Amino acid sequence: MTVTIFSVLTAAIFIFNIALAAALVFLERRDASSTWAWLLVLFFIPIFGFFIYLLLGRQLRKKTLFKWEGSRRIGIESRIAHQMNELNDGAFEFKDPNAKNYTDLVYLHLRNNGALLTQDNSVQIFNDGRKKFDSLILDIENATHHIHIQYYIFRLDELGTRIVDALTLKAQEGVKVRLLYDDMGSRSLSKRHFKGLIEAGGEVETFFPSILPIINPRLNYRNHRKIVVIDGQIGYIGGFNVGDEYIGLSRKFGYWRDTHLRIQGSALYPLQTRFIRDWNQASIRHDIEYHESFFPLKQEKGNTSMQIVSSGPDEEWEQIKDGYLKLINLAREYIYIQTPYFIPDASFYDAIRIATLSGIDVRIMIPNKPDHPFVYWATYSYAGQMLRAGARVFIYDNGFLHTKMIVIDNKASTVGTANIDVRSFKLNFEVNAFIYDEKVSTDLAELFHRDMKLSTELTYMMYLDRTRMIKTKESIARLLAPIL
């Protein structure tokens, strides 16, 4: 009898796995590498594999998550159409001749993402967490109308409490404060932790909150964006989250090397729009309606040209990855890449390999320690492949490298939230600034060179000399790379 029950149960699990596998192949139409990875998970761990699939594998329904009618009121859509028409006719006026060299990339982002090109921006670069958050808190303290703040990770430790206290004081003064955090990235938080801020008049929302007490069934599709907009005049975008580790107070990670931008200028219009769309998706009763005070007239702050580009699983195309690929293809002298996770898909890997084999100076910088072990060993494996193609790889030794940055030729660059991996390309909601400015790009390149002095260059001979244990870790991680 026991044998019969076991046989029936085994057969049921086998049939269930076949049905789920068929759904993966014929209904969800994933790319081949992701499909094979999930098939291996389902067949090698047939019971637990199903629950892993529920947590990590389900696709997001293709629908419009981020509607906001207010974007028509500020004229962004008409300005995008106007810019595209002028670019098509060769009549667009580039204020910076350097930016004109990247007309194809500008047009790609306009058509693929509706990313308006703005040319009157001032950019300040932060590569140190303490300086970035000191600047942010000072800007919060000087706010007069509204503060919109969004982070993937928000911890109520020393830094987080300092920021919330500053926000609470401004809310008490009558400044409209809105704080948005991701439920998975900030899983230790709930709205009750912001009681003082809410009682002062602030509003707090959670992106894709859990429907279960402990487990969030949507481990994928997280809002990885970090955006701050203050009074419609000052914006922040980049890699820093909110937590003590980001100001170097973690024993595990030590110094935290990241890159963040403080922006003034017309780029605040699309950055503000991005925040409002994210907020309204998460909001239950506090949707933001259009008001001209969110989009004040801009006095020219600088001459940096840039586009704010966002991407996510709600879109048909992988906009930020497409921008990365186009940027790489436009390089003529060098490509510098800093990323904590280097797990490229086939298209990105081929673009970098071809650039390297074409004589472009390709340098990739990765961390010397993992914050996610499987991801780290997959990164190490792909770095080895790049060495074989002729790229140079540097392992950052001065703490943890979390920067998401690409610079080419001292002329164009991108900084934001998107890593070089499938999760950022396909599964997370991300945002990057694409910058067409020699000074900003040169400054970012100089930071890369400074970081090289704090790094160990990984040679191909060193990579070949790795231990058998490391090779085993790499093999397992590479097998799971499409779903990491």
Side-chain angles (χ1 to χ4, degrees):
M1 183 69 176
T2 304
V3 175
T4 303
I5 294 174
F6 178 77
S7 300
V8 171
L9 184 60
T10 302
I13 292 173
F14 180 73
I15 293 171
F16 181 78
N17 268 7
I18 290 177
L20 189 55
L24 276 172
V25 174
F26 297 109
L27 298 180
E28 295 203 349
R29 296 181 180 272
R30 299 169 181 266
D31 61 88
S33 59
S34 178
T35 298
W36 279 111
W38 279 115
L39 289 176
L40 288 171
V41 169
L42 291 171
F43 280 103
F44 280 98
I45 42 176
I47 297 176
F48 293 106
F50 170 69
F51 291 103
I52 294 172
Y53 173 77
L54 288 180
L55 292 173
L56 295 173
R58 294 184 302 162
Q59 290 189 322
L60 189 70
R61 292 181 180 180
K62 299 294 183 182
K63 59 181 180 180
T64 304
L65 292 174
F66 303 102
K67 291 181 179 179
W68 187 55
E69 294 299 324
S71 60
R72 296 180 182 178
R73 299 279 298 276
I74 56 177
I76 287 182
E77 293 177 3
S78 61
R79 289 175 67 185
I80 290 169
H82 183 67
Q83 284 190 357
M84 287 183 64
N85 289 334
E86 286 194 328
L87 287 170
N88 277 325
D89 296 338
F92 185 82
E93 183 180 350
F94 286 93
K95 294 182 180 179
D96 181 355
N98 174 67
K100 188 174 183 179
N101 296 325
Y102 300 95
T103 300
D104 289 354
L105 180 53
V106 170
Y107 188 85
L108 169 70
H109 287 318
L110 277 166
R111 184 174 180 181
N112 198 27
N113 192 239
L116 188 72
L117 176 69
T118 59
Q119 305 186 82
D120 61 348
N121 302 290
S122 171
V123 176
Q124 182 178 1
I125 302 169
F126 290 100
N127 67 321
D128 177 84
R130 289 185 181 274
K131 293 179 180 179
K132 180 258 178 175
F133 286 108
D134 285 346
S135 174
L136 173 61
I137 291 172
L138 181 61
D139 286 332
I140 288 173
E141 291 172 347
N142 291 327
T144 59
H145 185 266
H146 67 270
I147 301 168
H148 292 162
I149 182 167
Q150 170 182 353
Y151 282 95
Y152 171 65
I153 295 174
F154 199 108
R155 304 194 200 283
L156 283 179
D157 47 22
E158 178 183 328
L159 175 62
T161 300
R162 187 178 161 207
I163 291 174
V164 171
D165 287 347
L167 294 173
T168 302
L169 285 174
K170 298 310 292 187
Q172 290 170 347
E173 294 174 8
V175 174
K176 192 61 182 178
V177 175
R178 296 178 175 91
L179 189 153
L180 174 63
Y181 65 88
D182 183 84
D183 185 68
M184 194 65 217
S186 308
R187 50 189 171 272
S188 63
L189 291 185
S190 66
K191 289 186 181 180
R192 62 183 173 83
H193 290 109
F194 298 95
K195 182 180 178 182
L197 174 58
I198 294 171
E199 288 178 347
E203 296 176 0
V204 178
E205 295 291 353
T206 309
F207 188 85
F208 278 5
S210 174
I211 59 175
L212 299 174
I214 299 176
I215 300 175
N216 193 324
R218 287 191 283 197
L219 289 180
N220 287 330
Y221 314 126
R222 307 316 313 180
N223 198 320
H224 196 237
R225 295 167 183 148
K226 296 96 176 165
I227 296 172
V228 178
V229 179
I230 298 173
D231 293 340
Q233 300 284 6
I234 298 169
Y236 287 82
I237 183 174
F240 283 108
N241 288 293
V242 175
D244 285 351
E245 65 265 41
Y246 300 98
I247 55 175
L249 296 181
S250 168
R251 290 185 178 180
K252 176 182 178 182
F253 295 112
Y255 181 75
W256 191 279
R257 171 65 178 90
D258 219 322
T259 304
H260 222 90
L261 306 178
R262 181 183 185 271
I263 302 169
Q264 292 181 280
S266 296
L268 269 292
Y269 288 171
L271 197 64
Q272 180 83 286
T273 302
R274 177 72 273 160
F275 174 87
I276 292 174
R277 285 175 170 163
D278 285 9
W279 175 270
N280 286 357
Q281 193 285 324
S283 172
I284 299 174
R285 295 179 299 274
H286 304 112
D287 278 10
I288 300 174
E289 301 292 338
Y290 169 81
H291 194 277
E292 60 185 11
S293 58
F294 294 136
F295 302 93
L297 293 175
K298 296 284 182 272
Q299 295 180 351
E300 192 164 308
K301 296 293 183 178
N303 54 12
T304 296
S305 300
M306 69 166 59
Q307 291 172 289
I308 302 298
V309 180
S310 56
S311 65
D314 59 317
E315 300 285 353
E316 182 178 3
W317 311 110
E318 300 165 27
Q319 289 96 333
I320 292 178
K321 187 194 83 170
D322 289 348
Y324 282 176
L325 293 177
K326 187 67 175 178
L327 194 63
I328 289 166
N329 290 333
L330 290 169
R332 295 295 176 264
E333 297 176 13
Y334 75 77
I335 302 166
Y336 294 165
I337 298 173
Q338 285 181 310
T339 178
Y341 317 131
F342 186 74
I343 311 177
D345 64 3
S347 62
F348 193 96
Y349 171 77
D350 284 343
I352 291 293
R353 179 182 59 82
I354 291 169
T356 303
L357 294 174
S358 300
I360 305 295
D361 178 10
V362 175
R363 305 184 191 188
I364 302 166
M365 190 176 294
I366 59 175
N368 73 341
K369 62 185 70 175
D371 62 340
H372 303 292
F374 278 112
V375 174
Y376 179 78
W377 291 114
T379 292
Y380 199 76
S381 172
Y382 280 105
Q385 280 189 259
M386 296 314 307
L387 287 169
R388 188 165 182 264
R392 298 177 69 185
V393 175
F394 297 86
I395 299 178
Y396 185 74
D397 293 324
N398 188 42
F400 185 71
L401 181 76
H402 192 249
T403 295
K404 304 94 165 53
M405 181 188 81
I406 300 177
V407 186
I408 67 165
D409 302 343
N410 279 16
K411 294 180 179 179
S413 51
T414 179
V415 172
T417 68
N419 298 303
I420 312 297
D421 62 6
V422 173
R423 184 161 298 278
S424 281
F425 291 163
K426 290 186 176 183
L427 301 178
N428 283 342
F429 299 94
E430 308 280 2
V431 62
N432 271 50
F434 280 77
I435 304 161
Y436 317 102
D437 183 273
E438 289 192 49
K439 183 182 184 309
V440 173
S441 299
T442 299
D443 288 346
L444 290 170
E446 288 177 356
L447 287 176
F448 188 95
H449 281 280
R450 188 186 307 173
D451 291 334
M452 283 173 53
K453 296 177 182 178
L454 301 171
S455 304
T456 299
E457 183 166 5
L458 179 66
T459 67
Y460 190 51
M461 293 303 297
M462 290 166 62
Y463 177 75
L464 292 177
D465 197 37
R466 67 199 188 283
T467 66
R468 182 172 297 177
M469 177 59 71
I470 292 177
K471 292 178 181 179
T472 301
K473 291 178 180 179
E474 284 185 19
S475 297
I476 296 172
R478 280 292 290 266
L479 192 64
L480 299 175
I483 60 174
L484 287 176

